[in-house]
């Protein structure tokens, strides 16, 4: 497995408080990693340490499988906090300034990036007159000038309207799929992240309380009908024979968990009863994704 980032026991102390507390992140090449936490949870500080804007008190960082961070940081791009743009310049002029600053020789790169970020039609409009979403896309464009393999976006959808959010989301997917850029994106807005993230890290009070892939999340929040009966084997056979239910499992506590036909609990009860099976309990279980994350972020749930 190729990891672009691993941290070990990363810790930052401000005013005698560990605002980043023994954080062990693992981000695989190709991931869109959603870094989720409430305001003040420690997201920005963690990212600032990784990209070299702050120094940890304890812990180690590995970028692209190496401890040579100077070299690793050459392959990363960052958009942290408020986008630093030249307000009196156009999108193109901002990108040109960045190109010259970084010594990128290929002059086509500016137009390429303008196309990628969808600002190729903004002509003479100055950055100060851009919407927040456009400013955010331009900031991402500036971060792309160094041709990064790994991009850090700190709260990129903060304050954006729904169409601005969609533009950023589409851009992130494009960068990831078409340009093979691994992306770490921090946010406290879960819903929007859930549409694109392939992996999640949840931070609460400086601690990484959970880290899982999107498919693990699906399992964790999977809804099911949970049934307890007096004859499990016979009940399972009846579910399949009488109702065509095959997507079920018997868990370690002897409950039958049915994962589809979630609207059929009435039929299930009646088929089982007709066949002399005593249904001790039958409930629809599972939770929604939003609730799951909120409980993790608030420390009400163990990962
Ligand atoms: P937000 O979304 O509000 O930026 P966050 O999850 O990014 O939240 P951080 O900005 O990392 O959180 O802040 C974590 C904690 O560290 C907060 O309590 C913050 O007040 C504190 N903090 C951050 N930077 C400093 C600093 N330079 N000096 C002192 N305390 C700081």
């Amino acid at each position: 497995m190729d990891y672009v980032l691993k941290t070990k026991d990363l810790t930052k102390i401000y005013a005698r408080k560990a605002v980043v507390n023994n954080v062990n992140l693992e981000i695989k090449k190709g991931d869109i990693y959603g870094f989720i936490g409430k305001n003040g949870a420690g997201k920005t500080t963690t990212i600032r340490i990784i990209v070299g804007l702050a120094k940890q008190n304890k812990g180690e960082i590995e970028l692209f499988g190496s401890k040579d961070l100077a070299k690793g940081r050459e392959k990363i791009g960052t958009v942290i906090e408020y986008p630093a743009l030249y307000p009196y310049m156009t999108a193109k002029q901002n990108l040109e300034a960045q190109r010259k600053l970084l010594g990128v020789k290929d002059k086509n790169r500016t137009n390429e990036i303008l196309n990628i970020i969808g600002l190729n039609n903004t002509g003479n409009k100055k950055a100060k007159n851009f919407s927040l979403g456009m400013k955010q896309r331009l900031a991402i464009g500036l971060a792309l000038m160094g041709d990064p393999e790994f991009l850090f976006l700190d709260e990129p959808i903060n304050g954006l309207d729904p169409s601005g959010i969609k533009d950023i989301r589409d851009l992130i997917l494009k960068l990831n799929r078409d340009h093979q850029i691994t992306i770490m994106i921090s946010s406290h807005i879960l819903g929007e992240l859930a549409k694109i993230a392939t992996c999640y890290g949840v931070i609460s009070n400086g601690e990484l309380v959970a880290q899982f892939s999107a498919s693990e999340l699906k399992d964790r929040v999977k809804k099911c009908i949970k049934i307890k009966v007096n004859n499990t084997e016979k009940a399972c056979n009846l579910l399949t024979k009488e109702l065509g239910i095959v997507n079920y499992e018997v868990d370690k506590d002897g409950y039958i968990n049915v994962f589809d036909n979630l609207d059929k609990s009435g039929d299930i009860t009646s088929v089982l009863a007709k066949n002399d099976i005593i249904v001790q309990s039958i409930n629809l279980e599972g939770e929604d994704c939003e609730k799951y994350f909120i409980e993790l972020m608030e420390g009400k749930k163990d990962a």
Side-chain angles (χ1 to χ4, degrees), residues 5-24:
L5 173 71
K6 279 189 184 182
T7 68
K8 184 155 188 333
D9 299 335
L10 206 62
T11 299
K12 178 75 184 175
I13 295 164
Y14 281 129
R16 282 195 272 168
K17 185 174 177 272
V19 299
V20 175
N21 194 355
N22 287 300
V23 165
N24 297 318

Side-chain angles (χ1 to χ4, degrees), residues 14 19 38-45 155:
Y14 281 129
V19 299
K38 294 201 290 189
N39 286 336
K43 303 179 295 293
T44 306
T45 307
E155 299 269 3

Side-chain angles (χ1 to χ4, degrees), residues 87-133:
Y88 291 95
M89 288 188 182
T90 64
K92 190 169 184 169
Q93 287 166 341
N94 265 283
L95 287 167
E96 268 298 285
Q98 179 80 341
R99 187 181 69 76
K100 287 174 186 156
L101 185 74
L102 297 183
V104 176
K105 297 216 169 54
D106 180 6
K107 288 189 180 166
N108 292 326
R109 191 74 189 131
T110 296
N111 280 331
E112 268 171 32
I113 293 176
L114 274 176
N115 277 321
I116 295 172
I117 59 178
L119 292 180
N120 41 339
N121 294 322
T122 51
N124 292 328
K125 195 170 181 144
K126 292 186 170 66
K128 72 181 173 80
N129 296 322
F130 284 5
S131 69
L132 188 58

Side-chain angles (χ1 to χ4, degrees), residues 33 35-36 43 47 153-156 184-188 193:
Y33 187 97
F35 193 35
I36 301 179
K43 303 179 295 293
I47 294 176
L153 305 175
D154 189 25
E155 299 269 3
M184 179 177 193
I185 161 175
S186 80
S187 186
H188 62 277
L193 220 54

